[in-house]
Amino acid sequence: MDFLTNLDGNILLWIQEYLRKDFLNPLIIFITSLGNAGLIWIGASVVLLCILRTRKAGALSILSLLISYLINNLILKNAVARPRPWVDVEGLSILIGKPHDFSFPSGHSSSSFAAAVVMYKMLPARFGIPAVILAAAIALSRLYVGVHYPTDVLFGTLSGIVTAVCVCRFAHRRMG
């Protein structure tokens, strides 16, 4: 486990040293803020709910977000209780305010992929593909700003994808 923790920390320090650029910081901070409280995904889901032909996608996106929140933010974050990276990684600086919850898993990543994958599976590609690209940008931004370890983001991403796929399969079986 120490190897993985060291690798996680070294990746963050590498990102800080070689990828962070002053001219990119405002853009990445904006992208990471899009995932705050899942509001962009909740908003997109509500819009989908308001349009008859996308109502099912909106409802399933909201269901996926709720399940993701329950599993990742309420259960896993508190059960694992992993400190944020700036606590343990010497020399790491963060670009945003310090979140007050635990680090594992990344809630931004899980909620982003929980909603985006539903949209990808249920909407035309011209909507689904940009949703997945935005989800990936939000997830990666969490590393750039220094508030999550890579394994937090990886697990959050996988968790969101699995949640979305399960919700879509369940809906397909139940509703046809």
Side-chain angles (χ1 to χ4, degrees):
M1 194 63 151
D2 285 339
F3 170 77
L4 189 58
T5 302
N6 288 335
L7 179 62
D8 262 355
N10 287 333
I11 290 170
L12 290 176
L13 291 172
W14 184 86
I15 290 169
Q16 179 176 281
E17 180 72 23
Y18 297 105
L19 298 182
R20 277 191 191 170
K21 304 294 177 205
D22 290 339
F23 72 93
L24 277 179
N25 292 352
L27 173 64
I28 304 300
I29 290 168
F30 172 74
I31 290 169
T32 213
S33 72
L34 291 175
N36 291 351
L39 289 179
I40 189 136
W41 304 110
I42 293 167
S45 300
V46 169
V47 169
L48 293 173
L49 279 171
C50 294
I51 302 167
L52 184 59
R53 66 179 186 268
T54 61
R55 190 165 289 154
K56 184 176 176 182
L60 294 181
S61 180
I62 287 175
L63 178 60
S64 191
L65 283 165
L66 287 170
I67 292 169
S68 175
Y69 178 75
L70 174 69
I71 292 169
N72 293 295
N73 292 67
L74 295 182
I75 297 172
L76 288 176
K77 274 190 187 276
N78 294 307
V80 175
R82 185 180 199 184
R84 293 286 179 159
W86 68 81
V87 173
D88 295 324
V89 179
E90 190 173 325
L92 181 67
S93 61
I94 63 173
L95 298 180
I96 61 171
K98 293 180 177 178
H100 299 290
D101 58 350
F102 293 112
S103 192
F104 182 90
S106 166
H108 278 66
S109 301
S110 60
S111 64
S112 293
F113 278 94
V117 170
V118 167
M119 293 173 192
Y120 177 80
K121 292 179 72 58
M122 300 198 63
L123 299 173
R126 69 180 184 272
F127 300 111
I129 291 171
V132 171
I133 291 169
L134 178 59
I138 290 171
L140 292 172
S141 75
R142 305 306 283 169
L143 302 175
Y144 185 94
V145 300
V147 297
H148 278 293
Y149 289 102
T151 50
D152 301 341
V153 169
L154 178 62
F155 186 86
T157 297
L158 293 174
S159 172
I161 291 168
V162 168
T163 300
V165 168
C166 290
V167 164
C168 288
R169 284 187 182 165
F170 173 78
H172 181 71
R173 288 188 181 138
R174 299 287 293 177
M175 299 176 212

